[in-house]
Amino acid sequence: MHAPHSSVPGEPAGPGALGALGESGGAGGPGAPGGEREALRTGLASLLDGLPPRQAAQAVDRLIANYRGRTPTDAPVLRDRSDVAAYAAYRMPATFEAVTAALAAFRARVPGWAPATHLDLGGGTGAATWAVAASWPGGTHRTTVLDWAEPALALGRELAGAAPSAALRGAEWRRQALSGAGAPELPAADLVTVSYVLGELTERDRHAVTDAAAGAGRAVVLIEPGTPAGFERIRTARDRLLAAGLRVVAPCPHGSACPIAEGTDWCHFAARVNRSSLHRQVKGGSLPYEDEKYAYVAAVRPEVTAPGGGPAAGGAGEPAPARVLRRPQIRKGQVLLELCEEERGLVRETVTKRHGALYREARDADWGGQWPPAAP
């Protein structure tokens, strides 16, 4: 079950990080059709119908207090339906946008590929499952959601039952613990997602879940909060995916060691979340939007193919030439880009008007996007 990480202390996300504000992959971004997004909002509103906003907000406050402590993952944090409904309204929209943004970057590196099977580990109420359905609209993939919390699974199943996507309506929701007994036994799947889960596990269980995901999936996408601690969990998981024989395709432009010195900075991105009136009430905020900070890694096995066995169009598993790690700084006649490259590592590139069309591309560059931009 995804922790309400944005309120967990000790994991700041500030302007000193790699990235200060970004629009890439947020609401309305590529690979994010509005059908699932709006259906999810409608479903969440119906779940909280009749539950006073103050009661929902109090439930959220209590859940945050539990997650701030060292609550074991097998403890009954979500006590009943009202707990789960409040939690879903609080976290699902932001988790959906973060996972959708990560999947958009992944899809750009494996054009033409689509999963026939999807496994969502620790999927809870199913935000990542909704994101997968939105990323491959009209897809016929089969999804299995695994989580230890039965109330979350029940609510996720109920939400998905009214979804526009056949893949969501037909998803299987299965109770299974991901901790305490070594690597969990997982069914094979084309795509495995693990979103906002690793931070809830002990170090040993994090390693076990990462290794199990690497063994079960042809493609693995891991998402964590965009905080120093979240990034370090992703960095460690990335190393384990590489050791298991997978190839990193996003956001990293290479499979070499991460060039960020530990403790000096952290790599993360942001997805814009448009808040509904219900969301503002539950979160106690007044702004019509928020920026969800997240860190992620996407990796594939060399044999990743399109459904039916053919190669993915354009070739699968090719990383971007470089990745934009901060919001581009636009100056008079020039744009400063903070990049991660394979050969030079972390570099700053200055693009001026003398570069012609490339300068215009730089002015439109997104935090989290590839550089140079892909040809249309």
Side-chain angles (χ1 to χ4, degrees), residues 1 10 12-13 21 47 63 67 71 79 92 96 98 127 136 175 196 240 265 287 298 301 347 349 373:
M1 189 64 187
L21 180 65
L47 287 175
L63 294 173
Y67 279 115
T71 307
R79 299 178 303 189
M92 281 190 77
F96 170 86
W136 285 276
R175 190 168 191 266
Y196 297 89
R240 300 186 79 87
D265 217 330
L287 291 176
R301 293 200 167 276
V347 297
E349 183 169 315

Side-chain angles (χ1 to χ4, degrees), residues 101-161:
L103 290 175
F106 165 69
R107 290 171 60 243
R109 306 321 312 163
V110 287
W113 183 84
T117 52
H118 166 227
L119 182 64
D120 189 11
L121 301 185
T125 52
T129 295
W130 282 77
V132 169
S135 298
W136 285 276
T140 57
H141 61 270
R142 301 185 307 278
T143 286
T144 301
V145 183
L146 301 182
D147 199 278
W148 69 269
E150 183 58 41
L153 291 170
L155 186 140
R157 185 184 300 111
E158 180 181 340
L159 271 177

Side-chain angles (χ1 to χ4, degrees), residues 5-105:
H5 64 276
S6 58
S7 298
V8 177
E11 295 192 348
L18 288 178
L21 180 65
E23 295 78 31
S24 176
E36 279 73 20
R37 180 181 291 111
E38 293 308 313
L40 179 58
R41 290 181 180 275
T42 299
L44 290 173
S46 67
L47 287 175
L48 287 183
D49 187 29
L51 183 64
R54 176 175 294 182
Q55 182 180 346
Q58 289 173 343
V60 166
D61 289 342
R62 186 182 61 77
L63 294 173
I64 292 173
N66 274 288
Y67 279 115
R68 280 177 171 173
R70 298 296 180 180
T71 307
T73 56
D74 58 353
V77 177
L78 299 175
R79 299 178 303 189
D80 52 33
R81 178 185 169 85
S82 63
D83 272 2
V84 179
Y87 171 81
Y90 174 70
R91 280 305 308 161
M92 281 190 77
T95 301
F96 170 86
E97 298 296 353
V99 178
T100 299
L103 290 175

